[in-house]
Each structure stands twice: as structure tokens, then as C-alpha cells.
Amino acid sequence: MIRGRRAEIEALTALLDAACAGTGGALVLRGEAGIGKSALLEQTAAAAGGRGFRVLGTAGVQAEVLIPYAGLDRLTRALALPTGPATQPYRLATALLEALGAAGDPVLVAVEDVQWLDEASWAALAFAARRLGADPIAIVLTARDGDDVSGRLAAAGLAERRLESLGPDDSAALLAAVAPGLSPVLAARVLEQAAGNPLGLVELGMAASRGGGAALLPARLPLSERLERTFAGLVAELPPITRGLLLVAALDDGDDFDELIGACARMTGAPVVADDIEPAVTTRLVRVDDQFRVRFRHPLLRSALRQAATVAQRRRAHAALAGTVADPERRVWHRAAAAAGADEALARELTETARRAQHRQAATIAVEAFERAARLSAEPGARGGRLLAAANAAAEQGDPATVVRLLAEVPEQWLSATDRAWHGLLREVFLGTGWSGGDRFASFVEAVETMCREGDTDMALESLLAICLRVYWTVPDPETAGRLLAAAESVGVPPGDPRLVAVLAQVAPVARGAFCLKQMRTLRTSGEANPRELFELGLGAGAIGAFSLGVSFHAAAQVELRAQGRIGLLAKSLVSHALQAAHLGDARTALGLAAEGEQLVAESGERNWLPTAWIVSGFAEALRGDVAAAHRHADQAEAVLMPGGRHPLLALVRQVRGTAALAAGRPGEAFRELRRVYDPADAGHHGHTRLMLLGFLAEAALGCGELDELRRLAGEMAPLGAGRSPALLAGLRFARAVLGDSAESFAEALAEDVEWPFERARLELAYGVWLRRQRRAAECRPLLRAAADTFDALGATAWADRARAELRASGETLRRPAEAAQGLTPQELQIARLAADGLSNKDIADRLFLSPRTVTTHLSRIYPKLGIRSRGELSRALRTA
């Protein structure tokens, strides 16, 4: 019987109604233990079954919290979805959505005890729940209150409803129903101690009926502990062998009955048979289903059993389970729980478990495994390194409280040179000690040099990869930069190793730019790099301004990263890809990638990349001519970068504001903003970013008359062209054309191989303007028309409008094409483009981590916005949009 939950029942009914109507949704019921979450979930499941829903369920189990996909096991088995330690949560989420929606009938997924779901199961479920839209799926989850749960739910962004205590009338009615005949005095004591908690009313009411007032003492215990004591009292009445079975079941990370019997026999040294569980079944403490799986009546029973057992008893139970379970991953956790002292061999096994968990992005499991490995470590150095690895995994997960706690446990004297440098960098980020720039690079260099001397090639390369992006943005002093470069080149791998090329491009983008460019062109066609290496090459290509190469590397990496569900790396790849697309003037592509990248950055915990995602969106909005949106994004990023001391990235903020000023027709303001990137005394100065902005700076200088300053700056930049940076060479080409101020200088620039359409269109626009002002209208028009067409195709609307304005001034009118795609959201535009490329709805769903039904619904909304009726018309509509 459920009392006092009318609002919650109405919300759950509305969720089922929406699922029946084809609009999926999710709701989390949260509250203290015993507040009635399970009862509401059970009633909702019964109501859904009565309405023709397919009802599926699963639950988190405290003992399984470190086993990947333990929480989803029942669900994935019911849907015949294979899972294993290597399965990526985000790929499984897509498969779940597809499997749940395959039949077309409404589905209810009931998930109990979210607080005890393993991280992989939670990541998959939360990801799927956020993508319900056009799916007839309702997901209802229950979660017990707690800070860890609050953090988990806040990051997930799912709708919540908190269950409060019952009021006096509802409490009295429930107590009268479960414990009729209590004296007024006993009833009043139960009502006082239960304090509106439904489970407390039921359990304490029944205890009072059996044992009178003595059963309610001591009243000073908090409710959860009081209920655990109640359960413990029930267990104490059972035969010893049954109690042993229940303890093993409480500590097990599985629920197989035969496994429990085998482990209990090993623990007690006595024969155990199936009938030994019957006393617990009879008292309704557990049930054994048709598949011979053991289920506890309430999660508090597990807690009570764990709490009541001594340390020695728990260790014996874990040791027995370690000797019984077949799965190596489960076995190592039980061995660790049973260990009584240092065990370096076991610590190494747990460290490998942690690394595998990191690879599949199960960060919570990685943190726990590294930390347990540290506790088992015999040597301080190994212990410190593993605690630092746990802190690093927590940082990847976006768990600052755990990072701070672990960093405090690690004395620097325990650490190697490389680990000390990492320790310092983590302290900067999470303890607010300030941006140290390249202060810690010397420690990294020494460590890498040692690794090279000892022949540890892979570790040396991995260490360099870990810091090379930081090196690029910091621009260390010449001596440190030289040592970093020498260390990288002494690693001892072939010159075409993709990892080495990516490192060199970021450590020495000018000095080794030409070499890296040559190697990258070879690697792009060889197909030898793996997805992570392709991502690193994409970063490296961006560092030397080879944006076309960078875009192709990132696009290739994303295909595999999506297939593998490696969402953390995918998120960073999308943001970097978007930035390079914006540098190529492709505003439409940049906006779509940045929007998805920002979403996945937040979901994957890679929040240090959020300001970059905002900056990229601002850059693309500036190209499109939405100056207000560009400034909002720039302000948003600056508000995070300035307090954190991340000043080098302010160069990108200047870039956004400068581009926005150009779009708004304010070249003087644009020149002042962009000029700051070239000024070593300015907080927004960055030596490498200035290579990428010379074309925009020259355009601004042309508009405001700052040609002398442009000539000086171009002269400073010209020697750096030896690095063969395509971005710098394009900027120098445009600057020479502008500074030449002649038909010959423009014609010469256009005669060169201008690789990027935006740069060619910018030259055509500038040359067309020059010709018009020379009163050579007939000659300027073809150039202005071509420029406008290119800018329109790229979505660089502000530049296209300027080309059309110049064309009108020459006496010819060119109508602005209908912006059919303007009304599409970034995700709709992404789906439309993929559909136009010939991908099926399922292929699109797999790529974007959606269900096929959701893709179908998006397309049904896209067609009217584009003024078309079928998929076959998409390509034409997008070409003219």
C-alpha cells in the first residue's frame, strides 16, 4: 500500500503516458533509505505491465560496484546484448536504445539503487536516458540520498523527484494497516521514531507488535542504523550455515546460487546444500528466482550483514569467493579485499586492471583499482605512483574532491621526476596554486632523457605525448624547448612514427614544421595510425597550421572513436576539428562539431576543454555574422581562463573578438584586438597562434589603414615561413598582395596554389574591391561573384554579404541565397548532412549515439524546415542553403 505519494504517482503516470505517445523520458526517484522509492517503482512497473509495456529491470548492488556492467547484466541479457570489460559505455547506450525501441511497443526500464551501479553501467544508462526523445521508452531510477549520488545525478542532468517523509495522517494510516492493534503509547513511539519513513513505520511497527517497547530501543540511533539493526536482528535468528550463506551473498559481486554455495562451503569448511537457504527464504529476507539467482528483500539487509560481520569474517568470505569465482576480473577484486598486508604481485595485477578500466573510460573503477593497488604496495615509490595515477584518473572523471584527497596523501619525495611534475600540474588545476606554465618541464625532460638512456621507448613517447599540448600553449624558454626537442628526437623510433610526428609538431612547430608536414602527408595516405594516433596527429597538424590535414586526421579518428565509444577522446577531437574547420572558414561544419563536442566534453568530464569549445563556437558565429553570439562565447571563455591563469588561451579569445569586429565592419577594432596576440607584453600574446592569424590581421589592416604596422609584422613573421606552415604561408601571401597594392600583386597571389577555398575567396574579394576602386567594374565582378559563392558555401555569411555589397557598388546585384538551413539546430544540420551523404538512419544513429527512431523523428522535422519532402532532396537543399 502506498500512502501520501499522489504527486509522485501522477508524475510517473505522465511519464508512461508520454512513452505511449512516442516521447521517451527518464525520472529519478531519490530520497533516504526506506522512504518508498522501491514501492513506487514496483507500482509503476505493475501499472506499465497492465498497459502493455514491456517491463525490464535491473539494480545496483553494493558488492558489484567495481565490476564493469554488473548493474546492467540482467538488462543486457534480456536484450541479448553482449557486454564485457572492453565494451564502451557510450556504444552500449546506443545499442540499448536500438534494442529497446526495436519492437515499437512501449518499454519501461526500472533501475533500482543507482548509488550502487558500477560506473560503466551508470555511464551507459545516463547517456541513453539523455537521448530519449522519439523513443517509446520510459526509464525510472531510484537513488538513495548522499553526496556521491548528488554529484552523479548533477553531472547526468536527469529529471529528479525527491521523496520526502510522510505527513502525520499518512504515517498513522500506514502504521494502522501494517501493525493493527498497537496500543496508543506504542503507536506514538513508532510514529516518533520512524519520523515519516515508510520502511521505518513497517519494520518498527512489526517489531513493536512482536516485542513490545523494548524492540524500539535505543531511540538515539539514526533511522538507517536502526533499520540495519532490525535486519541484523532478523538474521541473528537464522541457523549459522544460513547466516554464512547470506554474508557471502552480501559480499559477492554476483548472484549465482551455486557460486554462493561453493564459496560458503569453502569459507566454513563444512558441507552446504541448497536447502540451507530456505530459512532466509521463509522469513522473506531473500528470494531465489527461476534462474537460481539470489535477491535480497531490501538493500539495507546487505548493509546490515556487512556491518555486523567482523573484519576477519569479511576477509574469509572474500577469500572464499576469490577461490570460487571463475572470472579473473572479479577474482582479483575479492583477492584484494581479502588481503591482510602488502602484496606487490597483487598490486601489479590491480594496476593492470586500473589501466584496462581507463582504456574503456571506466574512470571510477580505475580510481578504486589504483588506490587499492597503492594500499597493497610494498615500496613508497610504487605506492606514491599508484596514488598519483588514481588522482589522475579521478581528474579525467571530473571528480575534484577525490583528486584533492589523493594528492594530500602523496609526499613528493615518494615520486619519480615525471610523477613529481604531474603532481605539481594536478595541484595547479585542483588546488588553485596557479598556472606554472613551463616551470615543471625540466623535470619531464630529465625523466624522458632517463627513459631514453634506459631504452624505455614507449614510456618516453607516452610522457612526451602527455605534455606536448601543454608545451605548445606555454612556448617554453629556448633552452628547455631545445632539450625537449632533443629528447623527442633521441627516443629511437622511426622518423615516421605517428606519435613522434605529433610530439615534434607541438614541441617545435616552426623548427620541425616542414619535416612534420611531409611525414603527415605520408601518414594520411598510409592508413597505419590507430584512432588515438590519428587524434594526436590532428592536434599536431593544427599546431603547425596544416588545417586541411588536421581536419582529415580528426575525421578519420572520429569514425573509429565513435565505433569504439571512446567518448572522452572523441569529445576533444570534435573540439579540435571544429577549431580547424573554423580556421578554414567553414562556419557550418565548425558550429555542428563544436555543439556536439561541447556536449560530449561535459558528459565525459573533460571540462578543461569547455572554454575551447566556447571559443570555437564564437569563432564560427563571428564568421557567420552573429556578432552578439560571438561576444557571448568569448566572454564566457575569458571568465574561466583569466581566474585560472590560463593566459595563452586568451589569444583565441582575441581571435574571436577580432573576427567579430571584422564581421561587423569595424576593421580598426579588429586590428587592435588581433594585434594584441603579436605583442609579447600582452596577456593574450601567444607565439604560435600569431602564425594562424596573419590573414585576418592583414584584412583588418587593409580596412583601417594600418599598412605600415602590417608591413613590420609581416616582416617579422616571414622568416618563420621556413617551417612551411600552410596557415602562415597563406597569411603572408595575402599580406604581400595587400601591401603590393597593385593588380600584379593580387594576380601573383591568386596564381599560386591557394589550397583553402576561404583564403582564395578572401584574395578574390580584396582584389575585386581594389579593382572596383580603380573603376575597373567589369574586371572586378567575376572575382566578387566567385568570392560570394565560396563564402556562401562555407557559411561565412558576413564575408559573403560584403562581397555582395561590393558587387552592388560595381553595378551588379547578386541575391543572397535562401538560408534554408539557417533554421536547423546544429544537431539537425549534422543529421541532414549525414543523410545527404547516403548514411542510413541506423548508421547515423550509431555515429551520433542516438536511436534510429530519434534520427527518423529529426529527419521528419528537418524536411519541412528545408522545404523538401524526401531524403533524395537533401543534397540539393543543403547545397543551396
Side-chain angles (χ1 to χ4, degrees), residues 367-386:
V367 171
E368 180 68 20
F370 276 130
E371 192 169 356
R372 288 205 183 182
R375 310 299 177 209
L376 293 167
S377 300
E379 297 296 327
R383 179 184 176 91
R386 286 161 181 157

Side-chain angles (χ1 to χ4, degrees), residues 445 464 480-490 504 507-508 511-512:
V445 174
L464 287 166
T480 302
R483 287 183 66 190
L484 278 165
L485 178 58
E489 293 184 325
S490 66
L504 293 177
V507 169
R512 296 296 181 269

Side-chain angles (χ1 to χ4, degrees), residues 315-327:
R315 281 181 172 160
R316 282 197 298 272
H318 280 296
L321 284 162
T324 304
V325 300
D327 181 77

Side-chain angles (χ1 to χ4, degrees), residues 261-273:
I261 289 175
C264 185
R266 186 183 291 267
M267 178 182 72
T268 61
V272 181
V273 296

